[in-house]
Amino acid sequence: MLGACGSARHSGGWGGNRPVADFDLAIIGGGINGAGLARDAAGRGLRVLLVEQGDLASGTSSASTKLIHGGLRYLEHGAFLLVREALKEREILLRNAPHIIRPLRFLLPPLPQMRSPVLLRLGLFIYDHLGGRKILPPTRTVDLTHNVLGTPLKRTYKFGFLYSDCWVDDARLVILNALDAAERGATIRTRTKCVRAERSEEWRLILNTSGRRDVVTARALVNATGPWVGLVAETVIRMPEPARVRLVKGSHIVVKRLFDHDTGYIFQNPDRRVVFALPYEGDYTLIGTTDENYQGDPAGVAPSGAEIAYLCDTASRYFRGTVAPSDIVYAFAGVRALYDDGSKRPEDVTRDYHLAFDKGFGQAPLLSVYGGKITTYRRLAEAAMKLFGNVFAPNRPWTARVPLPGGNFPYNGVDAQVAQARRSWPFLEEKHAVRLVRAYGTRIGDVLGEADSYAALGIRFGADLTEAEVRYLMAREWALEADDVLWRRSKLGLQFSEVERAALQRFMAPLPALRLVT
């Protein structure tokens, strides 16, 4: 087990002589919202428990389009406050996690019979100036007839608008928030399901970890379970009213690289939705996303044939080469739990977060989290802590100015970190050094240690994944299974064969479940 179930005692604000709960704040859900809130609360001195029924980031938080962005299309819906908040967060997050977040330029080619170029340029002017941009370059117009950005596109597209946002390794963003929370005293329990939450003056949580049950208590509870928010509210917390949740599925496909540069594309569709085509993991292009209403178990979500055809058709409408389902090397889908605002079309439902705070007389407080974008997770956590102000009297907000683990270097300093890594470990290949810096930043030494050769790193399982890295991930980042390593701590699953994956799983299975103890 990771850490203790919490036996500390303090009197923080309850009054009287009654026993104090094991934890101040219990969070159900190990996605970006739960992990971000755990980090924020732990950094303010609260005793925090986070429980996740699977692996961290095993749901929607690893199935995003991998962007830190304002949401250009939301301007069309008049969501200026949402876009402004997200735009301001771009550069805060870039400064705090420059190893896993990097600037990315996007080309938007106008499409006849769609939004006019004048309207697009006006929207991009607003986008440039709404969020106090300081680091990222502004929008400019590009002639595509003699430009590498136009080379992969059909000749129909003569010009486009080049603007800025950021790319993020979404799953590692979750992992690093959880890691920082743990280092600040939080207890993180993965593969642990909360099967019942009983409410009185405090919460009594019944937890199940691999068939073993235990009970903990907490002064306040957060339901941050993403697409399971309604199910948990109904079956675990047993709320009297159904949750106002709208489940919307988004799917992506990955194909071999379609262009030889590091700029992404944003394509308009006749149905007025947009689809991104992004450089992905060096050798691939990521295409997505869709918007479909979803019913069913979020754990079983997968791209439908219609969604795959939609994404292929969109890419083929713009690129010179046809993109067919047979070209897909990987596909994935995620379910967003949005606050149901009554919108008819799934793409029109607000992506802004909604925090439902419930505290009846004599009852411990409950916070339910709906919606939100990965870009605004940090602001969501601050807003949540503000709602708990009368419960905990927490310290002031702090996360805007403190880097995530490994991110304590300049936002444009990745190349310098790679060079330093290759000086410290001269045997590292360039591509391997880049991947490790992009994953661990200044903490690369925690993975490589005193190794003086590849042989010193142990078994090489496939691609550049070594035994030393796997052992680090198991000991420090809660990795238990091969897919935890291949798809969430990295994206090396794209390069692994099934035989290599099975060998990694066999290696991990008998090892002791070492954990970062809090």
Side-chain angles (χ1 to χ4, degrees):
M1 282 303 302
L2 164 64
C5 290
S7 59
R9 295 286 184 267
H10 73 82
S11 59
W14 279 98
N17 296 316
R18 62 183 301 278
V20 177
D22 299 323
F23 294 96
D24 297 314
L25 186 66
I27 301 168
I28 309 174
I32 187 57
N33 291 331
L37 180 52
R39 180 194 185 220
D40 190 320
R44 301 193 199 208
L46 300 186
R47 297 164 304 146
V48 177
L49 168 70
L50 183 147
V51 296
E52 162 57 45
Q53 65 179 348
D55 184 25
L56 295 170
S58 57
T60 308
S61 293
S62 59
S64 76
T65 314
K66 327 299 181 192
L67 298 180
I68 298 293
H69 66 138
L72 180 61
R73 72 180 183 90
Y74 304 141
L75 291 177
E76 197 169 43
H77 297 276
F80 289 94
L81 292 178
L82 169 64
V83 174
R84 182 173 183 270
E85 181 179 57
L87 288 173
K88 292 173 68 176
E89 281 297 290
R90 284 185 315 187
E91 296 193 1
I92 292 174
L93 297 180
L94 175 59
R95 290 182 187 276
N96 286 347
H99 48 330
I100 63 168
I101 299 173
R102 61 180 180 266
L104 184 62
R105 296 286 267 171
F106 294 79
L107 182 76
L108 171 57
L111 182 68
Q113 289 82 49
M114 281 293 294
R115 304 165 183 90
S116 73
V118 173
L119 180 62
L120 292 176
R121 190 62 186 87
L122 175 61
L124 286 166
F125 177 84
I126 296 172
Y127 200 72
D128 276 345
H129 294 86
L130 190 60
R133 175 185 52 82
K134 296 179 180 178
I135 297 173
L136 301 174
T139 299
R140 65 183 181 91
T141 303
V142 176
D143 179 356
L144 298 178
T145 59
H146 298 89
N147 191 296
V148 66
L149 300 182
T151 302
L153 299 179
K154 292 180 177 178
R155 298 186 185 276
T156 307
Y157 305 103
K158 304 298 184 184
F159 72 99
F161 301 114
L162 194 64
Y163 74 96
S164 297
D165 268 319
C166 291
W167 180 93
V168 63
D169 186 331
D170 51 3
R172 284 212 61 77
L173 183 65
V174 178
I175 302 298
L176 294 182
N177 272 274
L179 180 59
D180 200 38
E183 292 178 353
R184 296 176 187 277
T187 296
I188 310 294
R189 294 178 58 172
T190 63
R191 268 77 180 196
T192 297
K193 187 173 184 178
C194 181
V195 296
R196 182 61 57 87
E198 299 172 350
R199 190 180 194 181
S200 59
E201 292 183 338
E202 64 183 23
W203 287 97
R204 182 175 181 269
L205 308 180
I206 302 173
L207 308 178
N208 187 322
T209 306
S210 300
R212 186 183 72 82
R213 290 200 173 196
D214 60 319
V215 177
V216 300
T217 56
R219 295 169 62 191
L221 179 66
V222 177
N223 179 2
T225 53
W228 289 272
V229 64
L231 181 65
V232 169
E234 179 184 354
T235 63
V236 177
I237 303 174
R238 293 175 294 175
M239 294 293 289
E241 298 292 332
R244 290 191 58 180
V245 61
R246 176 91 166 262
L247 299 184
V248 176
K249 181 174 73 164
S251 294
H252 298 77
I253 58 175
V254 177
V255 299
K256 287 291 187 180
R257 186 170 61 188
L258 299 176
F259 43 86
D260 295 322
H261 55 75
D262 294 326
T263 296
Y265 293 91
I266 176 172
F267 296 145
Q268 303 177 83
N269 270 339
D271 61 5
R272 303 191 71 80
R273 291 190 288 183
V274 297
V275 169
F276 292 95
L278 308 176
Y280 190 57
E281 297 300 311
D283 298 323
Y284 304 92
T285 298
L286 174 67
I287 301 172
T289 181
T290 59
D291 277 298
E292 286 192 354
N293 290 321
Y294 183 78
Q295 293 180 334
D297 183 1
V301 66
S304 67
E307 287 177 299
I308 289 174
Y310 177 86
L311 295 175
C312 289
D313 290 347
T314 299
S316 299
R317 184 178 296 116
Y318 285 85
F319 290 118
R320 293 187 185 186
T322 299
V323 177
S326 58
D327 297 319
I328 297 172
V329 297
Y330 180 62
F332 61 90
V335 179
R336 311 176 190 95
L338 306 178
Y339 187 70
D340 192 353
D341 60 4
S343 298
K344 293 182 179 180
R345 301 188 307 171
E347 61 266 31
D348 293 338
V349 182
T350 179
R351 264 53 177 177
D352 202 357
Y353 56 79
H354 178 83
L355 303 178
F357 188 72
D358 178 66
K359 187 184 186 310
F361 179 75
Q363 289 187 316
L366 167 69
L367 179 67
S368 301
V369 179
Y370 300 89
K373 292 157 45 67
I374 196 168
T375 306
T376 53
Y377 84 90
R378 194 194 63 81
R379 290 299 303 272
L380 183 154
E382 288 185 340
M385 291 305 297
K386 188 174 181 179
L387 289 174
F388 283 120
N390 292 331
V391 180
F392 300 127
N395 296 326
R396 295 172 62 86
W398 63 277
T399 56
R401 62 185 184 274
V402 179
L404 285 165
N408 52 324
F409 63 92
Y411 72 88
N412 57 355
V414 167
D415 290 344
Q417 292 295 314
V418 171
Q420 176 62 47
R422 298 197 74 195
R423 286 192 295 269
S424 300
W425 296 275
F427 62 89
L428 282 181
E429 300 162 357
E430 174 79 14
K431 187 175 180 180
H432 191 189
V434 170
R435 184 182 72 79
L436 292 177
V437 168
R438 283 289 183 193
Y440 306 105
T442 57
R443 295 193 175 192
I444 186 173
D446 293 348
V447 177
L448 299 177
E450 301 298 323
D452 57 3
S453 66
Y454 269 113
L457 297 177
I459 301 168
R460 193 157 179 166
F461 294 100
D464 58 21
L465 182 67
T466 64
E467 179 181 343
E469 185 174 3
V470 173
R471 287 184 178 275
Y472 167 82
L473 293 173
M474 295 186 71
R476 299 295 300 277
E477 294 192 7
W478 304 279
L480 280 176
E481 300 178 356
D483 284 353
D484 300 349
V485 172
L486 298 179
W487 292 111
R488 289 178 283 279
R489 278 53 174 193
S490 74
K491 296 296 183 290
L492 291 173
L494 289 167
Q495 302 176 45
F496 263 54
S497 68
E498 186 53 40
V499 171
E500 291 170 328
R501 179 194 171 279
L504 175 61
Q505 181 65 37
R506 286 195 299 272
F507 172 82
M508 296 178 68
L511 292 182
L514 300 175
R515 293 294 181 273
L516 187 149
V517 178
T518 62

